[in-house]
Amino acid sequence: MHQPPLETHQPERCRPMTSTVSEIEEVIDSERTTLLNGLSSLEPVRRRVSGKSPADGGSRRICRQPSLGRDIGHAAKETYLVTRLSFKLLRYLGVGYRWIMKLLALACYAMLLMPGFLQVAYMYFFSSQVRRSVVYGDQPRNRLDLYLPSNNDGMKPVVVFVTGGAWIIGYKAWGSLLGMQLAERDIIVACVDYRNFPQGTISDMVTDASQGISFVCNNISAFGGDPNRIYLMGQSAGAHIAACALLEQATKESKGESISWRVSQIKAYFGLSGGYNLYNLVDHFHNRGLYRSIFLSIMEGEESFDKFSPEVRLKDPIVGKAASMLPPIMLFHGSSDYSIPCDASKTFADALQAVGAKVELILYNGKTHTDLFLQDPLRGGKDELFDDIVSVIHADDDEALAKDSLAPPRKRLVPELLLKLAREVSPF
Protein backbone atom coordinates (compact mmCIF):
# COMPACT_ATOMS: atom_id res chain seq x y z
CA MET A 1 0.00 0.00 0.00
CA HIS A 2 1.39 3.39 -0.98
CA GLN A 3 1.54 6.31 1.39
CA PRO A 4 1.19 9.64 -0.38
CA PRO A 5 4.71 10.94 -1.01
CA LEU A 6 5.63 14.30 0.43
CA GLU A 7 6.28 17.15 -1.97
CA THR A 8 9.75 17.02 -3.41
CA HIS A 9 12.11 19.61 -4.76
CA GLN A 10 14.90 19.09 -7.22
CA PRO A 11 18.26 19.65 -5.52
CA GLU A 12 21.24 20.98 -7.41
CA ARG A 13 22.98 18.13 -9.23
CA CYS A 14 26.62 17.61 -9.93
CA ARG A 15 27.92 18.57 -13.35
CA PRO A 16 29.32 16.04 -15.82
CA MET A 17 33.06 15.67 -15.82
CA THR A 18 34.62 17.86 -18.50
CA SER A 19 38.33 17.28 -18.03
CA THR A 20 40.17 15.85 -21.04
CA VAL A 21 41.53 12.34 -20.79
CA SER A 22 43.62 10.52 -23.36
CA GLU A 23 43.82 7.17 -21.63
CA ILE A 24 42.02 5.28 -18.92
CA GLU A 25 43.60 2.41 -17.10
CA GLU A 26 41.35 -0.42 -16.07
CA VAL A 27 42.65 -2.47 -13.19
CA ILE A 28 41.73 -6.11 -13.14
CA ASP A 29 43.03 -7.33 -9.82
CA SER A 30 43.72 -10.87 -8.82
CA GLU A 31 42.99 -10.80 -5.12
CA ARG A 32 43.57 -13.57 -2.68
CA THR A 33 41.84 -12.27 0.42
CA THR A 34 42.82 -13.93 3.67
CA LEU A 35 39.43 -13.63 5.32
CA LEU A 36 40.10 -15.17 8.70
CA ASN A 37 42.76 -12.70 9.77
CA GLY A 38 41.67 -9.71 7.72
CA LEU A 39 44.83 -9.56 5.59
CA SER A 40 44.83 -9.44 1.82
CA SER A 41 47.44 -10.13 -0.80
CA LEU A 42 46.75 -8.29 -4.03
CA GLU A 43 48.44 -8.96 -7.35
CA PRO A 44 47.14 -6.33 -9.75
CA VAL A 45 47.37 -6.86 -13.47
CA ARG A 46 47.05 -3.60 -15.40
CA ARG A 47 45.79 -3.26 -18.94
CA ARG A 48 45.72 0.05 -20.77
CA VAL A 49 42.67 1.08 -22.75
CA SER A 50 42.68 3.99 -25.15
CA GLY A 51 39.76 6.35 -25.30
CA LYS A 52 38.92 9.69 -26.83
CA SER A 53 37.87 12.57 -24.67
CA PRO A 54 34.58 14.41 -25.12
CA ALA A 55 36.63 17.33 -26.46
CA ASP A 56 37.75 15.10 -29.32
CA GLY A 57 34.21 14.09 -30.07
CA GLY A 58 34.66 10.58 -28.74
CA SER A 59 32.90 8.73 -25.95
CA ARG A 60 34.82 8.45 -22.70
CA ARG A 61 33.89 4.87 -22.07
CA ILE A 62 36.00 2.00 -20.95
CA CYS A 63 35.86 -1.00 -23.26
CA ARG A 64 37.46 -4.39 -22.98
CA GLN A 65 38.29 -7.10 -25.44
CA PRO A 66 36.89 -10.52 -24.50
CA SER A 67 39.39 -13.05 -23.17
CA LEU A 68 38.38 -16.59 -22.29
CA GLY A 69 41.45 -17.11 -20.12
CA ARG A 70 40.83 -13.96 -18.09
CA ASP A 71 37.13 -14.81 -17.64
CA ILE A 72 37.94 -18.32 -16.44
CA GLY A 73 40.47 -16.83 -14.03
CA HIS A 74 37.80 -14.47 -12.69
CA ALA A 75 35.37 -17.36 -12.26
CA ALA A 76 37.95 -19.32 -10.27
CA LYS A 77 38.79 -16.30 -8.12
CA GLU A 78 35.14 -15.55 -7.33
CA THR A 79 34.42 -19.20 -6.51
CA TYR A 80 37.41 -19.25 -4.16
CA LEU A 81 36.23 -16.12 -2.38
CA VAL A 82 32.66 -17.37 -1.94
CA THR A 83 34.00 -20.63 -0.49
CA ARG A 84 36.16 -18.74 2.00
CA LEU A 85 33.18 -16.59 2.98
CA SER A 86 31.17 -19.73 3.74
CA PHE A 87 33.85 -21.19 5.98
CA LYS A 88 34.23 -17.85 7.74
CA LEU A 89 30.51 -17.85 8.48
CA LEU A 90 30.77 -21.31 9.98
CA ARG A 91 33.72 -20.27 12.16
CA TYR A 92 31.92 -17.34 13.75
CA LEU A 93 28.44 -18.78 14.06
CA GLY A 94 29.49 -22.17 15.38
CA VAL A 95 28.15 -25.60 14.52
CA GLY A 96 25.37 -26.03 17.08
CA TYR A 97 22.09 -27.72 16.30
CA ARG A 98 20.37 -24.49 15.30
CA TRP A 99 23.01 -23.60 12.75
CA ILE A 100 23.34 -27.12 11.40
CA MET A 101 19.62 -27.00 10.62
CA LYS A 102 19.90 -23.54 9.09
CA LEU A 103 22.82 -24.58 6.92
CA LEU A 104 20.93 -27.66 5.74
CA ALA A 105 17.95 -25.45 4.90
CA LEU A 106 20.26 -23.04 3.08
CA ALA A 107 21.77 -25.90 1.07
CA CYS A 108 18.30 -27.12 0.05
CA TYR A 109 17.24 -23.56 -0.78
CA ALA A 110 20.29 -23.02 -2.99
CA MET A 111 19.85 -26.35 -4.76
CA LEU A 112 16.21 -25.60 -5.60
CA LEU A 113 17.16 -22.25 -7.11
CA MET A 114 20.29 -23.59 -8.81
CA PRO A 115 18.82 -23.50 -12.37
CA GLY A 116 18.54 -19.73 -12.05
CA PHE A 117 21.81 -19.25 -10.18
CA LEU A 118 23.76 -21.07 -12.91
CA GLN A 119 22.33 -18.85 -15.64
CA VAL A 120 23.07 -15.69 -13.67
CA ALA A 121 26.59 -16.93 -12.83
CA TYR A 122 27.33 -17.61 -16.50
CA MET A 123 26.28 -14.09 -17.46
CA TYR A 124 28.22 -12.62 -14.54
CA PHE A 125 31.49 -14.28 -15.49
CA PHE A 126 31.28 -14.16 -19.28
CA SER A 127 29.04 -11.27 -20.35
CA SER A 128 30.80 -8.33 -22.03
CA GLN A 129 28.27 -6.02 -20.34
CA VAL A 130 29.68 -6.80 -16.88
CA ARG A 131 32.82 -5.02 -15.66
CA ARG A 132 33.96 -6.95 -12.62
CA SER A 133 36.17 -5.76 -9.78
CA VAL A 134 36.68 -2.12 -10.72
CA VAL A 135 38.94 -0.70 -7.99
CA TYR A 136 37.49 2.23 -6.03
CA GLY A 137 39.81 2.34 -2.98
CA ASP A 138 42.97 0.95 -1.42
CA GLN A 139 41.39 -1.30 1.23
CA PRO A 140 40.67 -5.04 0.84
CA ARG A 141 37.33 -5.58 -0.90
CA ASN A 142 37.29 -2.02 -2.29
CA ARG A 143 35.93 -3.24 -5.62
CA LEU A 144 32.69 -2.79 -7.50
CA ASP A 145 30.98 -4.50 -10.43
CA LEU A 146 29.39 -2.48 -13.24
CA TYR A 147 26.42 -3.71 -15.28
CA LEU A 148 26.16 -1.77 -18.53
CA PRO A 149 23.27 -1.56 -21.01
CA SER A 150 23.87 -3.07 -24.44
CA ASN A 151 23.35 0.22 -26.30
CA ASN A 152 25.51 3.35 -26.06
CA ASP A 153 23.01 5.99 -27.18
CA GLY A 154 23.28 8.75 -24.60
CA MET A 155 24.15 8.95 -20.92
CA LYS A 156 22.37 6.43 -18.71
CA PRO A 157 20.86 6.73 -15.22
CA VAL A 158 22.87 4.92 -12.54
CA VAL A 159 21.99 2.84 -9.48
CA VAL A 160 24.67 2.39 -6.81
CA PHE A 161 23.72 -0.85 -5.05
CA VAL A 162 25.00 -2.00 -1.64
CA THR A 163 24.33 -5.71 -1.15
CA GLY A 164 23.11 -7.44 2.00
CA GLY A 165 24.53 -10.45 3.82
CA ALA A 166 24.03 -9.95 7.58
CA TRP A 167 27.20 -7.79 7.67
CA ILE A 168 29.15 -11.10 7.44
CA ILE A 169 28.68 -12.64 4.01
CA GLY A 170 27.86 -9.62 1.87
CA TYR A 171 29.43 -9.72 -1.60
CA LYS A 172 29.10 -7.60 -4.73
CA ALA A 173 28.08 -10.55 -6.90
CA TRP A 174 24.89 -10.96 -4.86
CA GLY A 175 23.52 -7.99 -6.84
CA SER A 176 24.16 -9.55 -10.23
CA LEU A 177 20.55 -10.51 -10.98
CA LEU A 178 19.31 -7.01 -10.16
CA GLY A 179 22.16 -5.47 -12.14
CA MET A 180 21.49 -7.51 -15.26
CA GLN A 181 17.75 -6.88 -15.21
CA LEU A 182 18.08 -3.12 -14.68
CA ALA A 183 20.72 -2.97 -17.43
CA GLU A 184 18.08 -4.40 -19.79
CA ARG A 185 16.11 -1.18 -19.10
CA ASP A 186 19.06 1.08 -20.00
CA ILE A 187 20.13 1.62 -16.38
CA ILE A 188 23.75 1.24 -15.26
CA VAL A 189 24.19 -0.57 -11.95
CA ALA A 190 27.29 -0.36 -9.74
CA CYS A 191 27.36 -3.13 -7.10
CA VAL A 192 29.69 -2.02 -4.32
CA ASP A 193 31.68 -4.55 -2.32
CA TYR A 194 32.85 -3.73 1.21
CA ARG A 195 34.76 -5.27 4.08
CA ASN A 196 32.63 -7.74 6.06
CA PHE A 197 33.03 -8.86 9.66
CA PRO A 198 35.54 -9.94 10.92
CA GLN A 199 37.65 -8.27 8.21
CA GLY A 200 36.02 -5.02 9.27
CA THR A 201 33.32 -3.69 11.58
CA ILE A 202 30.38 -1.41 10.87
CA SER A 203 32.46 1.80 10.67
CA ASP A 204 34.67 0.17 8.02
CA MET A 205 31.61 -0.96 6.06
CA VAL A 206 30.09 2.52 6.07
CA THR A 207 33.43 4.07 5.08
CA ASP A 208 33.81 1.60 2.19
CA ALA A 209 30.26 2.19 0.97
CA SER A 210 30.75 5.96 1.07
CA GLN A 211 34.00 5.67 -0.86
CA GLY A 212 32.30 3.49 -3.47
CA ILE A 213 29.51 6.05 -3.85
CA SER A 214 32.15 8.77 -4.21
CA PHE A 215 33.90 6.80 -6.97
CA VAL A 216 30.67 6.44 -8.91
CA CYS A 217 29.71 10.11 -8.50
CA ASN A 218 33.10 11.26 -9.76
CA ASN A 219 33.86 8.64 -12.44
CA ILE A 220 30.68 7.09 -13.81
CA SER A 221 30.65 9.35 -16.88
CA ALA A 222 33.69 7.40 -18.13
CA PHE A 223 31.40 4.35 -18.36
CA GLY A 224 28.50 6.15 -20.03
CA GLY A 225 26.63 7.03 -16.83
CA ASP A 226 24.87 10.33 -16.21
CA PRO A 227 26.38 11.95 -13.08
CA ASN A 228 23.16 13.98 -12.72
CA ARG A 229 21.01 10.85 -12.39
CA ILE A 230 22.53 8.69 -9.65
CA TYR A 231 20.34 6.64 -7.31
CA LEU A 232 21.48 4.89 -4.12
CA MET A 233 20.00 1.52 -3.17
CA GLY A 234 20.67 -1.05 -0.46
CA GLN A 235 19.13 -4.38 0.46
CA SER A 236 18.87 -5.82 4.00
CA ALA A 237 22.20 -5.12 5.78
CA GLY A 238 23.19 -3.15 2.70
CA ALA A 239 20.15 -0.88 3.15
CA HIS A 240 21.33 -0.17 6.69
CA ILE A 241 24.92 0.53 5.59
CA ALA A 242 23.82 2.76 2.70
CA ALA A 243 21.45 4.72 4.96
CA CYS A 244 24.26 5.23 7.49
CA ALA A 245 26.58 6.49 4.73
CA LEU A 246 23.95 8.84 3.32
CA LEU A 247 23.03 10.35 6.70
CA GLU A 248 26.69 10.69 7.72
CA GLN A 249 27.44 12.47 4.46
CA ALA A 250 24.54 14.89 4.99
CA THR A 251 25.77 15.62 8.52
CA LYS A 252 29.33 16.29 7.35
CA GLU A 253 28.09 18.48 4.54
CA SER A 254 25.90 20.52 6.88
CA LYS A 255 28.92 21.13 9.13
CA GLY A 256 31.04 22.29 6.23
CA GLU A 257 33.51 19.41 6.51
CA SER A 258 35.65 18.28 3.60
CA ILE A 259 33.76 15.78 1.41
CA SER A 260 34.39 13.91 -1.84
CA TRP A 261 30.73 13.67 -2.94
CA ARG A 262 27.58 15.62 -2.19
CA VAL A 263 24.21 14.35 -1.02
CA SER A 264 22.61 16.48 -3.73
CA GLN A 265 24.24 14.18 -6.29
CA ILE A 266 21.87 11.38 -5.22
CA LYS A 267 18.44 11.72 -6.83
CA ALA A 268 16.75 9.19 -4.52
CA TYR A 269 17.50 6.48 -1.96
CA PHE A 270 15.85 3.06 -2.23
CA GLY A 271 15.92 0.99 0.98
CA LEU A 272 14.86 -2.64 0.45
CA SER A 273 14.06 -4.81 3.50
CA GLY A 274 16.40 -2.82 5.72
CA GLY A 275 16.76 -2.35 9.47
CA TYR A 276 17.53 1.14 10.72
CA ASN A 277 17.38 0.89 14.51
CA LEU A 278 19.93 -1.47 16.08
CA TYR A 279 18.25 -1.35 19.49
CA ASN A 280 15.17 -2.98 17.96
CA LEU A 281 17.17 -5.58 16.06
CA VAL A 282 19.70 -7.01 18.52
CA ASP A 283 17.28 -9.30 20.38
CA HIS A 284 15.41 -10.22 17.21
CA PHE A 285 18.61 -11.32 15.51
CA HIS A 286 19.79 -13.17 18.62
CA ASN A 287 16.59 -15.25 18.57
CA ARG A 288 17.16 -16.03 14.89
CA GLY A 289 20.75 -17.16 15.38
CA LEU A 290 22.85 -14.02 14.84
CA TYR A 291 23.91 -14.08 18.46
CA ARG A 292 24.14 -10.96 20.57
CA SER A 293 27.90 -11.30 21.13
CA ILE A 294 28.56 -11.45 17.38
CA PHE A 295 26.15 -8.62 16.63
CA LEU A 296 27.76 -6.39 19.25
CA SER A 297 31.18 -7.14 17.80
CA ILE A 298 29.99 -6.21 14.32
CA MET A 299 28.43 -2.95 15.55
CA GLU A 300 31.41 -2.02 17.78
CA GLY A 301 29.50 -2.46 21.03
CA GLU A 302 26.16 -1.17 22.26
CA GLU A 303 27.74 2.24 22.85
CA SER A 304 27.84 2.65 19.04
CA PHE A 305 24.17 1.85 18.50
CA ASP A 306 23.18 5.53 18.42
CA LYS A 307 25.79 6.36 15.80
CA PHE A 308 24.87 3.48 13.49
CA SER A 309 21.09 3.61 13.90
CA PRO A 310 19.83 6.11 11.30
CA GLU A 311 16.41 6.16 12.92
CA VAL A 312 17.90 7.11 16.29
CA ARG A 313 20.40 9.61 14.85
CA LEU A 314 17.55 11.66 13.40
CA LYS A 315 16.59 12.64 16.96
CA ASP A 316 19.87 14.53 17.31
CA PRO A 317 19.05 18.20 16.50
CA ILE A 318 22.20 18.58 14.37
CA VAL A 319 21.47 15.43 12.36
CA GLY A 320 17.77 16.25 12.17
CA LYS A 321 18.62 19.60 10.61
CA ALA A 322 20.95 17.90 8.10
CA ALA A 323 18.07 15.58 7.13
CA SER A 324 16.59 18.43 5.10
CA MET A 325 19.44 17.83 2.63
CA LEU A 326 18.50 14.19 2.05
CA PRO A 327 17.13 13.13 -1.34
CA PRO A 328 13.64 11.60 -1.65
CA ILE A 329 13.63 8.29 0.21
CA MET A 330 11.64 5.22 -0.77
CA LEU A 331 11.45 2.28 1.62
CA PHE A 332 10.33 -1.12 0.29
CA HIS A 333 9.45 -4.05 2.55
CA GLY A 334 7.52 -7.32 2.46
CA SER A 335 4.75 -7.65 5.03
CA SER A 336 5.76 -11.28 5.73
CA ASP A 337 9.46 -10.57 6.20
CA TYR A 338 10.64 -12.42 9.33
CA SER A 339 14.35 -11.77 8.90
CA ILE A 340 13.84 -8.01 9.37
CA PRO A 341 10.18 -7.25 10.17
CA CYS A 342 8.50 -4.56 8.10
CA ASP A 343 8.05 -2.47 11.27
CA ALA A 344 11.72 -1.53 10.80
CA SER A 345 10.84 0.42 7.66
CA LYS A 346 7.62 1.79 9.17
CA THR A 347 9.33 3.36 12.18
CA PHE A 348 12.18 4.72 10.04
CA ALA A 349 9.64 6.34 7.71
CA ASP A 350 7.92 7.92 10.71
CA ALA A 351 11.26 9.26 12.00
CA LEU A 352 12.10 10.72 8.59
CA GLN A 353 8.71 12.40 8.28
CA ALA A 354 9.12 13.86 11.76
CA VAL A 355 12.20 15.83 10.61
CA GLY A 356 10.65 16.90 7.32
CA ALA A 357 12.42 14.47 5.00
CA LYS A 358 10.71 13.32 1.81
CA VAL A 359 9.79 9.66 2.28
CA GLU A 360 7.48 7.04 0.83
CA LEU A 361 6.88 3.59 2.31
CA ILE A 362 5.74 0.74 0.06
CA LEU A 363 4.72 -2.58 1.62
CA TYR A 364 4.26 -5.71 -0.48
CA ASN A 365 1.55 -7.91 0.95
CA GLY A 366 2.66 -11.45 1.79
CA LYS A 367 6.24 -11.00 0.54
CA THR A 368 9.16 -12.42 2.54
CA HIS A 369 12.77 -11.24 2.87
CA THR A 370 13.88 -13.25 -0.17
CA ASP A 371 10.71 -12.99 -2.27
CA LEU A 372 11.42 -9.41 -3.31
CA PHE A 373 15.12 -9.85 -4.03
CA LEU A 374 15.39 -13.45 -5.28
CA GLN A 375 12.26 -15.50 -5.93
CA ASP A 376 10.28 -12.80 -7.74
CA PRO A 377 13.15 -11.77 -10.08
CA LEU A 378 13.90 -15.45 -10.80
CA ARG A 379 10.22 -15.98 -11.59
CA GLY A 380 10.35 -13.46 -14.43
CA GLY A 381 7.32 -11.72 -15.86
CA LYS A 382 5.80 -8.81 -13.95
CA ASP A 383 7.50 -7.79 -10.71
CA GLU A 384 5.99 -5.01 -8.58
CA LEU A 385 9.24 -3.97 -6.90
CA PHE A 386 11.17 -3.88 -10.16
CA ASP A 387 8.45 -1.85 -11.85
CA ASP A 388 8.30 0.59 -8.93
CA ILE A 389 12.06 1.20 -9.04
CA VAL A 390 12.21 1.61 -12.82
CA SER A 391 9.21 3.97 -12.84
CA VAL A 392 10.96 6.30 -10.38
CA ILE A 393 14.26 6.26 -12.29
CA HIS A 394 12.53 6.92 -15.64
CA ALA A 395 9.93 9.34 -14.25
CA ASP A 396 11.36 12.35 -16.12
CA ASP A 397 12.21 10.47 -19.32
CA ASP A 398 9.18 10.05 -21.59
CA GLU A 399 11.15 8.09 -24.17
CA ALA A 400 12.38 5.60 -21.55
CA LEU A 401 8.86 5.22 -20.15
CA ALA A 402 7.57 4.47 -23.64
CA LYS A 403 10.26 1.81 -24.07
CA ASP A 404 9.37 0.34 -20.67
CA SER A 405 5.74 -0.03 -21.71
CA LEU A 406 6.83 -2.05 -24.76
CA ALA A 407 9.51 -4.11 -23.00
CA PRO A 408 8.98 -7.88 -23.28
CA PRO A 409 8.25 -9.83 -20.07
CA ARG A 410 11.37 -10.78 -18.17
CA LYS A 411 12.60 -14.31 -18.74
CA ARG A 412 11.70 -17.00 -16.19
CA LEU A 413 14.86 -18.56 -14.77
CA VAL A 414 13.42 -21.13 -12.33
CA PRO A 415 10.28 -23.32 -12.66
CA GLU A 416 7.39 -22.28 -10.41
CA LEU A 417 7.39 -25.55 -8.47
CA LEU A 418 11.02 -25.09 -7.44
CA LEU A 419 10.34 -21.47 -6.43
CA LYS A 420 7.48 -22.52 -4.16
CA LEU A 421 9.54 -25.29 -2.59
CA ALA A 422 12.45 -22.86 -2.06
CA ARG A 423 10.14 -20.44 -0.30
CA GLU A 424 9.06 -23.17 2.09
CA VAL A 425 12.57 -24.25 3.06
CA SER A 426 14.20 -20.79 3.07
CA PRO A 427 16.14 -20.17 6.30
CA PHE A 428 15.69 -16.40 5.89
Side-chain angles (χ1 to χ4, degrees):
M1 179 177 180
H2 293 258
Q3 292 186 354
L6 299 179
E7 235 177 88
T8 65
H9 67 278
Q10 291 298 326
E12 180 184 358
R13 305 297 177 202
C14 68
R15 297 180 180 179
M17 297 171 61
T18 57
S19 59
T20 301
V21 294
S22 59
E23 299 178 313
I24 298 175
E25 285 189 343
E26 178 183 3
V27 179
I28 305 299
D29 70 290
S30 176
E31 76 177 68
R32 289 295 182 266
T33 306
T34 306
L35 294 171
L36 297 180
N37 60 17
L39 297 178
S40 175
S41 172
L42 303 178
E43 300 175 358
V45 177
R46 298 180 181 272
R47 194 171 53 80
R48 193 174 295 261
V49 183
S50 298
K52 295 182 180 180
S53 70
D56 297 328
S59 174
R60 291 175 54 197
R61 300 190 180 184
I62 292 178
C63 58
R64 181 175 63 186
Q65 296 300 320
S67 167
L68 180 61
R70 183 183 59 244
D71 288 336
I72 292 175
H74 271 296
K77 180 188 68 176
E78 303 294 341
T79 302
Y80 170 81
L81 182 55
V82 170
T83 303
R84 295 296 297 272
L85 283 168
S86 301
F87 279 106
K88 181 182 68 173
L89 179 64
L90 279 173
R91 178 176 181 265
Y92 278 88
L93 296 180
V95 289
Y97 173 79
R98 177 184 293 181
W99 275 103
I100 289 175
M101 296 306 296
K102 281 187 175 292
L103 288 170
L104 288 174
L106 179 61
C108 292
Y109 178 78
M111 288 299 297
L112 289 167
L113 299 182
M114 192 59 66
F117 290 163
L118 290 175
Q119 295 176 71
V120 173
Y122 179 83
M123 293 293 293
Y124 176 75
F125 289 122
F126 301 110
S127 172
S128 61
Q129 293 172 236
V130 182
R131 303 288 186 267
R132 293 179 302 276
S133 296
V134 177
V135 178
Y136 70 78
D138 57 4
Q139 293 296 322
R141 305 284 296 274
N142 281 182
R143 310 287 184 268
L144 59 82
D145 293 332
L146 288 171
Y147 298 84
L148 307 177
S150 57
N151 70 75
N152 296 323
D153 55 344
M155 306 294 274
K156 311 296 185 183
V158 182
V159 171
V160 181
F161 182 65
V162 184
T163 64
W167 304 274
I168 296 175
I169 56 169
Y171 187 51
K172 56 188 173 64
W174 300 167
S176 54
L177 180 57
L178 175 72
M180 293 171 192
Q181 293 182 337
L182 286 177
E184 291 175 356
R185 297 297 183 89
D186 277 355
I187 299 168
I188 293 176
V189 179
C191 290
V192 178
D193 206 5
Y194 54 90
R195 285 169 287 176
N196 283 203
F197 182 81
Q199 194 175 26
T201 54
I202 186 60
S203 59
D204 300 312
M205 301 176 202
V206 173
T207 297
D208 288 353
S210 184
Q211 193 168 354
I213 297 167
S214 174
F215 177 89
V216 173
C217 287
N218 292 300
N219 296 280
I220 198 59
S221 59
F223 298 91
D226 187 346
N228 295 320
R229 291 188 292 166
I230 297 176
Y231 299 81
L232 177 61
M233 180 176 180
Q235 187 264 341
S236 192
H240 166 252
I241 293 168
C244 286
L246 187 63
L247 193 55
E248 178 66 15
Q249 194 72 9
T251 304
K252 287 182 178 180
E253 198 170 328
S254 68
K255 293 178 179 179
E257 297 181 19
S258 176
I259 54 175
S260 60
W261 60 281
R262 302 183 68 84
V263 173
S264 61
Q265 293 176 254
I266 306 300
K267 286 203 69 173
Y269 166 78
F270 304 136
L272 173 59
S273 307
Y276 311 97
N277 187 332
L278 301 181
Y279 292 102
N280 294 340
L281 294 175
V282 58
D283 290 332
H284 173 76
F285 284 147
H286 179 81
N287 293 332
R288 290 185 62 82
L290 182 55
Y291 302 123
R292 175 184 290 270
S293 59
I294 300 173
F295 190 73
L296 291 177
S297 296
I298 295 170
M299 300 303 166
E300 302 172 7
E302 194 165 349
E303 61 273 16
S304 296
F305 276 17
D306 282 0
K307 180 179 179 181
F308 295 109
S309 295
E311 180 183 319
V312 176
R313 286 200 73 187
L314 290 170
K315 298 176 182 178
D316 183 324
I318 296 176
V319 179
K321 183 179 179 180
S324 63
M325 305 171 66
L326 294 174
I329 292 174
M330 298 190 70
L331 303 177
F332 307 101
H333 223 117
S335 64
S336 297
D337 188 334
Y338 300 110
S339 294
I340 301 179
C342 62
D343 284 346
S345 287
K346 291 179 181 178
T347 55
F348 187 39
D350 291 341
L352 287 163
Q353 286 185 326
V355 295
K358 302 170 288 292
V359 59
E360 182 177 0
L361 171 65
I362 302 177
L363 298 179
Y364 299 94
N365 188 41
K367 297 297 184 180
T368 67
H369 197 69
T370 55
D371 279 339
L372 294 172
F373 190 64
L374 274 179
Q375 282 99 272
D376 286 353
L378 290 170
R379 179 174 283 110
K382 184 175 177 57
D383 180 341
E384 285 183 275
L385 171 65
F386 182 82
D387 290 343
D388 286 338
I389 292 171
V390 172
S391 66
V392 173
I393 296 173
H394 286 162
D396 300 324
D397 189 337
D398 292 337
E399 183 179 350
L401 289 173
K403 288 182 179 179
D404 290 339
S405 66
L406 299 175
R410 292 185 302 163
K411 178 184 176 183
R412 174 183 285 276
L413 301 178
V414 177
E416 186 64 25
L417 176 61
L418 296 184
L419 288 170
K420 290 182 177 180
L421 291 173
R423 194 177 194 268
E424 293 300 318
V425 303
S426 173
F428 304 107

